[in-house]
Amino acid sequence: MNFRGTLQAALLCAGTSQAVQGSTLAECIKLADDATRLACYDSIAGRDAQTGSHTEPPVAPGVQEDEFVSARLKEEEANANNRFVIIPHNRNYLLPITYNSNINEEAWKEQHPGDGMDQAEAKFQISFKAIIWQDILGRDIDLWGAYTQENWWQVYNTDTSSPFRETDYQPELILSMANNWHFLGVHNTRLALALNHQSNGSSEPQSRSWNRLIGSALFEHKNFSLVTSAWYRIPESKKDDDNPDIDDYMGNGQLQGVWKWPDYTLGFTFRNNLSSDNKGAIQLDWTFPISQRFSGYIQYFNGYGESLIDYDESTNRIGIGVSLSDPF
């Protein structure tokens, strides 16, 4: 190849690199040049255009290489406006079989008089979020809308036509801000403020609901991440409040932690009312690989407030199934 041909090839490569950087699939389709369009597809797929090998995405600015939650949040922000991507919020999971050794039969009998409640049931959760306003005032501050639905299903209770025993709905608005504060090796990477509503959508006497303002902070250190949360319950009138003592059982905050290894995670959620009667709850989560898309998932819960209908009843449950996404 002569000098002129070499120069043209170099200019083409440079132009291709600039054209595909940060491109979306829709933008790739519009490219007329075959080589540029192929390079654009390779860029989205994480493949090197010359060698064909997969390349790891670069670590986002302000994120340390081993901070897995921050890296995930940055990736979510990058895909926030992609209509073909559903962004998870809390964990998405299915536990086809769970066993509760301490069932709330009193609440069950109010709706199913004369029928027994099974200790074995299925449990699953769906949770996602979508961006409403990104980079508010030109800074790394985002407003998200999120929705979480948790379900307890008496699927094996055929005597009562396998009903859903409880469904809790949780829409929220979340104002999220990146942070870069270090203390004794711990990195505070994000702060958030949420307006949260949770209810089970039932009529009296089964109705349960509350509204909260929740402040949270994400801390990371190597393969461990911790979210500390504190909340303020927005007061309701006595006439409308169907669970006025819920704070006595749920407390005013919680801790959520995750240790992550290459293919495994161990997580916990802990809360306590910090009163002399010492009511609280702990949940332990263990995930392990079973395929490229799904992780095996074991969940153990002990304490108050697993569901809204059980907020004042202690639950002792273990379940096994699959997880589609990690928490946070």
Side-chain angles (χ1 to χ4, degrees):
M1 183 182 294
N2 57 30
F3 174 77
R4 181 178 180 183
T6 303
L7 180 60
Q8 289 177 336
L11 290 173
L12 175 61
C13 290
T16 299
S17 175
Q18 292 176 357
V20 303
Q21 186 176 9
S23 295
T24 65
L25 183 61
E27 292 169 341
C28 292
I29 295 174
K30 297 177 182 178
L31 296 174
D33 182 75
D34 292 342
T36 305
R37 187 169 59 255
L38 177 60
C40 185
Y41 291 144
D42 285 339
S43 176
I44 293 176
R47 297 178 61 89
D48 185 279
Q50 295 181 347
T51 66
S53 61
H54 283 276
T55 58
E56 294 297 326
V59 178
V63 176
Q64 298 180 12
E65 190 170 354
D66 50 5
E67 293 176 346
F68 59 94
V69 176
S70 294
R72 171 189 150 177
L73 294 176
K74 287 293 184 181
E75 188 173 351
E76 289 177 355
E77 290 177 0
N79 288 281
N81 294 301
N82 189 337
R83 295 191 178 188
F84 297 98
V85 175
I86 297 177
I87 300 177
H89 179 39
N90 297 316
R91 186 190 297 275
N92 288 274
Y93 65 83
L94 168 64
L95 303 175
I97 180 68
T98 74
Y99 180 82
N100 180 9
S101 65
N102 189 25
I103 58 178
N104 185 1
E105 290 189 275
E106 182 178 352
W108 170 262
K109 288 179 179 178
E110 290 178 350
Q111 286 191 317
H112 305 275
D115 296 320
M117 175 182 168
D118 283 0
Q119 291 179 291
E121 63 183 356
K123 179 182 178 183
F124 64 93
Q125 179 169 280
I126 300 167
S127 185
F128 57 89
K129 62 185 179 182
I131 197 74
I132 298 175
W133 188 1
Q134 191 169 20
D135 295 333
I136 299 174
L137 302 178
R139 306 189 64 177
D140 194 355
I141 304 174
D142 302 322
L143 179 64
W144 297 82
Y147 176 76
T148 301
Q149 180 177 312
E150 200 166 7
N151 308 267
W152 291 261
W153 184 12
Q154 287 272 299
V155 62
Y156 309 108
N157 196 341
T158 54
D159 292 340
T160 56
S161 299
S162 304
F164 279 83
R165 179 177 63 86
E166 173 80 344
T167 299
D168 288 347
Y169 309 91
Q170 188 171 211
E172 55 189 325
L173 289 173
I174 306 166
L175 190 65
S176 176
M177 179 179 68
N179 199 31
N180 191 24
W181 179 69
H182 293 264
F183 178 73
L184 297 178
V186 178
H187 189 192
N188 173 216
T189 55
R190 191 157 292 269
L191 302 172
L193 181 66
L195 176 60
N196 179 289
H197 169 76
Q198 188 179 24
S199 66
N200 63 359
S202 298
S203 57
E204 295 291 353
Q206 299 287 318
S207 176
R208 303 288 186 272
S209 66
W210 62 333
N211 301 301
R212 293 174 290 170
L213 283 174
I214 305 176
S216 62
L218 170 62
F219 299 90
E220 301 189 76
H221 178 68
K222 296 184 178 179
N223 67 328
F224 176 69
S225 292
L226 177 71
V227 173
T228 62
S229 301
W231 55 72
Y232 167 74
R233 185 188 181 190
I234 300 173
E236 300 180 44
S237 66
K238 292 183 178 180
K239 178 182 177 181
D240 297 329
D241 196 348
D242 41 39
N243 35 244
D245 59 345
I246 193 170
D247 289 342
D248 297 338
Y249 297 89
M250 300 290 285
N252 295 103
Q254 68 180 19
L255 299 174
Q256 289 180 286
V258 173
W259 285 275
K260 184 177 180 63
W261 293 271
D263 298 315
Y264 301 85
T265 64
L266 175 63
F268 70 87
T269 300
F270 174 77
R271 59 176 178 263
N272 192 278
N273 63 1
L274 302 179
S275 299
S276 58
D277 54 359
N278 194 35
K279 290 183 171 64
I282 186 168
Q283 178 173 304
L284 301 177
D285 308 280
W286 172 254
T287 66
F288 49 91
I290 57 175
S291 73
Q292 288 187 330
R293 185 64 187 87
F294 300 99
S295 296
Y297 179 37
I298 296 175
Q299 181 191 93
Y300 173 73
F301 182 94
N302 181 272
Y304 293 90
E306 185 197 24
S307 66
L308 283 179
I309 199 65
D310 297 328
Y311 82 89
D312 56 354
E313 294 287 336
S314 182
T315 299
N316 185 46
R317 181 192 306 276
I318 190 168
I320 185 168
V322 294
S323 174
L324 282 73
S325 62
D326 290 330
F328 304 159

